[in-house]
Amino acid sequence: MANIVSVENVRASYGGTVALDGVSLEIEEGSSFALLGPNGAGKTTLMNILCTLRAPQDGRVLVAGHDVVRAPRLARRSIGVVFQTSSLDDRLTARENLNFHGLVHGLAPKRRRFHIERVLELVGLQDWQDEIVRTFSGGMRRRLEIARALMHEPRILFLDEPTVGLDAQTRQQIWEYLDQLRTERKITILTTTHYIEEVEDADVVCIIDRGKIIAQGSPEALKAEHGRRWVQADVTHAEARKAILAQFPEARPLGARSIVAPAESIEADYLQTEPFKDKLTEIRYREPTLESVFLSLTGRDLRDRTDGEREAQMAEGRRGGRR
Amino acid sequence: MNEAIGAVRGVYGVWLREITRATRDRGQMIGGVSRPIIWLLILGVGLNPYFRGEVYGQVAYVVPYTYLQFLFPAVIVLNIMYTSIQFAVSMIWDREFGFLREVLVSPMPRSLILLGKVLGGATVATTHGGLVLLLARFADVTLSFGEMAAALGFMFLLAFGLTSFGIILAARVRSFEGFGVFSNTLILPLYFASSSIFPLDPSLTRTQAVTSYPEWLVFLTRANPMTYAVDALRGILIDFNQFPTVLGPAIVLGMAVIFFVIALIDFNRT
């Protein structure tokens, strides 16, 4: 099948900081593509370029065959976007938000009514359609945004961190809608996330770090290629940590308190004997997952998930405080 | 053809959103109604006996209208100024809370997005100006249907220019608080220095005017475009003009065009 998104050697920077450093990728029509990386890796910048909000400094981006710099309005017709933070008008009702979207996409009254009913049913918000969005919970808002992005029947759906700040049950529900869409409507889905468990079902996972793509492939292929079984030991005692690092050349520090090493290079049993025994607080095996793929490739953990949640909460608090 | 219908729908959508939001904003509506009542009731009624010449036995100017009639068109302009310029807060709101992105990723060109916004703000402001017209009888201003229509048309044009002006300010002052303070310190001086609450007697030459009013005030008033807007509306409502009749509409039209173009240049840059 043809590629519906094509990114060639894209560069972007904010002031002096490089956000994207020569990124290239292709997305096949009808596939599910996940962009995985820690906060600040350049995911949102790439997303903004793909949905024409920002022009790349260098390189070429084609979305549904249209150059996003030369023909942004044509590219926009084919895309639906769900942003990381809410872009709903929370003084309007759910239905008014959808109707607005239909109008700015130039849909005729009949088609607007038809599509409003369709997407409301899809996300199960029919009973709430005439309520003001301000009264909605985070999960309901997110569902409404997904519904809105689908109003004009886009060929590609861009979702930037669609589940940040939501509880596990809502996250599950949102992924169910997305899977349903993909199978029923053959829509191409591009998501960014730093929740590793959410990309396991994607067709292609692209790992991005510090503005560069460091690996790309199906989750299985990535795990087979880069995934290793790791041993992680949390050592509070600095001396002991040094001693372990000195003894096992393949071991490396992780964060301030832990050490990781490929499972075959270290004897977990040994760590539990003298002199380390009392200095370990925890020792565990990490099976080959995409998380350990990230660890293998960067030597760092995708550990900023808690940061992401905290940021989302703070943003929520700021919004709440203003009104 | 399809493209054109789509564009009209888009502008209508942006406009409709502003109207819907305005009808839900009680504070703005209360302000729109109470402001003119206070001005006409307290300032207008209070100063009415002192107009027409006699101030402590001294004859000043003779204007063939009561003070209430004289003030009435200016209060309409004041109401439009407040609503139009404050409307730009919604631009800051859209940017701050992310709604702007929803519009920017739609196929609508930016010029039409801005046009929809400005039309929406101008409609709300014209409505607030129109509310004052309901007090016409109370201020002893009699209006024919034609005068009413002409007044509303002129008010809409003025509101269009002032809404664009507010948006230009909002593009520079990007915080809610900053904009609120800034716009308030701008609106009242512009209003007071627009010959809104005192006349520059047309029968006097400029030198004579200067002897009665300090030169800086005469200069400010003549330099202030709002002077000509108030004057044009007086022409329509009470047949009283201090300046040539074409001057007011021409300046207001110029304001609408120039401010919209500047606002558009700003908006294309974001």
Side-chain angles (χ1 to χ4, degrees):
Chain A
M1 252 196 271
N3 290 328
I4 192 156
V5 174
S6 148
V7 176
E8 278 170 46
N9 206 22
V10 161
R11 281 168 213 284
S13 59
Y14 292 98
T17 335
V18 177
L20 292 174
D21 187 8
V23 166
S24 300
L25 56 87
E26 304 282 334
I27 301 175
E28 232 178 58
E29 174 140 36
S31 70
S32 154
F33 190 96
L35 213 50
L36 179 71
N39 284 341
K43 290 174 303 199
T44 298
T45 308
L46 182 57
M47 204 60 130
N48 284 344
I49 290 173
L50 286 171
C51 57
T52 75
L53 284 182
R54 212 191 127 92
Q57 267 139 346
D58 196 14
R60 203 161 79 114
V61 179
L62 296 180
V63 169
H66 304 290
D67 189 307
V68 294
V69 178
R70 272 185 243 141
R73 290 183 52 213
L74 288 174
R76 283 182 213 144
R77 282 181 205 281
S78 327
I79 61 172
V81 188
V82 177
F83 293 101
Q84 189 169 357
T85 51
S86 172
S87 65
L88 295 166
D89 186 338
D90 68 357
R91 293 192 197 176
L92 300 185
T93 66
R95 198 183 181 89
E96 285 164 347
N97 266 291
L98 295 175
N99 193 45
F100 176 87
H101 188 86
L103 279 167
V104 296
H105 277 84
L107 302 185
K110 231 180 183 173
R111 282 188 68 203
R112 278 206 305 277
R113 274 194 296 275
F114 171 77
H115 285 298
I116 288 175
E117 298 305 331
R118 176 178 71 85
V119 297
L120 278 173
E121 198 192 319
L122 177 78
V123 299
L125 284 175
Q126 300 103 311
D127 294 346
W128 300 86
Q129 53 176 299
D130 293 322
E131 300 292 322
I132 301 280
V133 171
R134 202 185 321 193
T135 62
F136 281 22
S137 68
M140 285 162 74
R141 283 174 196 229
R142 207 27 76 94
R143 273 148 66 197
L144 180 58
E145 283 193 273
I146 292 172
R148 185 179 66 178
L150 295 166
M151 269 273 297
H152 57 288
E153 302 188 286
R155 289 164 69 193
I156 319 162
L157 189 59
F158 292 136
L159 301 122
D160 194 3
E161 304 273 3
T163 55
V164 155
L166 301 181
D167 59 83
Q169 196 189 344
T170 314
R171 275 160 60 185
Q172 179 70 31
Q173 201 180 18
I174 281 172
W175 283 104
E176 275 166 21
Y177 297 137
L178 295 178
D179 285 338
Q180 191 186 337
L181 280 172
R182 199 150 56 98
T183 46
E184 284 172 13
R185 309 205 138 246
K186 305 271 175 268
I187 194 167
T188 310
I189 296 184
L190 168 63
T191 44
T192 72
T193 184
H194 55 255
Y195 290 117
I196 243 135
E197 58 278 16
E198 290 183 351
V199 303
E200 297 278 354
D201 294 329
D203 296 326
V204 179
V205 175
C206 175
I207 300 180
I208 183 167
D209 187 39
R210 292 177 179 159
K212 283 191 168 147
I213 290 178
I214 52 178
Q216 195 171 333
S218 69
E220 295 71 32
L222 285 176
K223 275 188 259 183
E225 195 178 340
H226 306 283
R228 297 164 92 170
R229 202 157 167 253
W230 293 80
V231 169
Q232 177 173 348
D234 295 347
V235 193
T236 41
H237 201 275
E239 298 281 308
R241 206 157 55 228
K242 263 187 215 154
I244 297 173
L245 287 173
Q247 203 160 349
F248 299 100
E250 288 197 58
R252 55 192 182 207
L254 181 75
R257 297 180 46 214
S258 307
I259 283 171
V260 285
E264 66 278 8
S265 73
I266 198 166
E267 294 150 55
D269 292 342
Y270 173 75
L271 291 179
Q272 288 172 56
T273 61
E274 293 294 342
F276 307 118
K277 200 172 139 194
D278 303 332
K279 276 124 194 163
L280 293 180
T281 50
E282 195 177 336
I283 182 159
R284 60 177 178 267
Y285 284 100
R286 290 174 62 163
E287 294 305 319
T289 58
L290 286 170
E291 202 148 16
S292 66
V293 169
F294 188 82
L295 181 63
S296 304
L297 289 165
T298 64
R300 285 179 294 122
D301 221 349
L302 260 173
R303 286 199 330 159
D304 60 350
R305 62 171 59 187
T306 45
D307 292 347
E309 274 164 17
R310 202 181 314 129
E311 270 166 31
Q313 268 171 8
M314 277 168 65
E316 195 68 49
R318 278 199 297 275
R319 281 197 291 276
R322 281 270 166 79
R323 261 162 241 166
Chain B
M1 191 60 199
N2 267 344
E3 182 89 348
I5 295 175
V8 172
R9 278 195 195 111
V11 173
Y12 168 69
V14 177
W15 176 86
L16 182 66
R17 168 173 174 251
E18 300 306 334
I19 304 305
T20 314
R21 283 169 58 95
T23 55
R24 289 194 186 140
D25 189 347
R26 290 251 172 80
Q28 208 195 11
M29 292 239 272
I30 292 168
V33 176
S34 66
R35 197 181 305 118
I37 292 178
I38 290 167
W39 274 85
L40 287 176
L41 213 64
I42 299 176
L43 193 78
V45 174
L47 287 180
N48 211 22
Y50 294 92
F51 204 54
R52 290 260 170 140
E54 288 194 47
V55 182
Y56 298 107
Q58 211 180 22
V59 175
Y61 307 125
V62 178
V63 178
Y65 302 96
T66 67
Y67 189 59
L68 263 179
Q69 288 171 330
F70 180 79
L71 188 66
F72 182 71
V75 172
I76 294 180
V77 171
L78 178 70
N79 231 19
I80 292 177
M81 276 173 89
Y82 262 106
T83 313
S84 297
I85 295 179
Q86 298 285 12
F87 172 80
V89 167
S90 86
M91 289 299 274
I92 301 177
W93 198 95
D94 283 1
R95 201 185 298 129
E96 190 88 346
F97 296 123
F99 188 81
L100 186 61
R101 291 172 304 177
E102 146 76 356
V103 203
L104 292 182
V105 297
S106 79
M108 264 180 94
R110 289 193 173 196
S111 52
L112 292 183
I113 297 173
L114 187 69
L115 181 67
K117 282 250 27 135
V118 176
L119 286 177
T123 308
V124 176
T126 307
T127 312
H128 283 185
L131 287 174
V132 187
L133 282 180
L134 297 177
L135 301 172
R137 186 160 297 244
F138 166 75
D140 271 334
V141 176
T142 43
L143 290 173
S144 71
F145 200 75
E147 284 170 331
M148 192 97 100
L152 284 172
F154 177 78
M155 281 152 60
F156 188 81
L157 190 64
L158 175 66
F160 189 93
L162 289 174
T163 306
S164 306
F165 177 66
I167 290 172
I168 297 170
L169 290 185
R172 284 159 179 76
V173 188
R174 294 191 164 214
S175 76
F176 291 98
E177 300 82 356
F179 185 79
V181 172
F182 197 71
S183 64
N184 264 314
T185 51
L186 204 73
I187 290 171
L188 282 180
L190 274 178
Y191 175 69
F192 284 131
S194 68
S195 183
S196 54
I197 51 172
F198 53 84
L200 292 170
D201 196 319
S203 67
L204 299 172
T205 64
R206 189 161 183 280
T207 353
Q208 283 171 305
V210 170
T211 56
S212 329
Y213 289 123
E215 180 144 20
W216 58 267
L217 187 57
V218 174
F219 173 77
L220 275 185
T221 307
R222 283 174 185 267
N224 180 1
M226 295 314 296
T227 303
Y228 306 94
V230 171
D231 192 62
L233 198 58
R234 268 191 197 126
I236 296 169
L237 294 177
I238 59 170
D239 284 322
F240 172 70
N241 280 98
Q242 305 188 81
F243 298 97
T245 42
V246 287
L247 203 56
I251 286 175
V252 169
L253 181 65
M255 272 171 38
V257 173
I258 292 169
F259 288 150
F260 184 76
V261 169
I262 297 175
L264 187 59
I265 293 170
D266 279 350
F267 191 54
N268 274 330
R269 224 180 277 150
T270 48

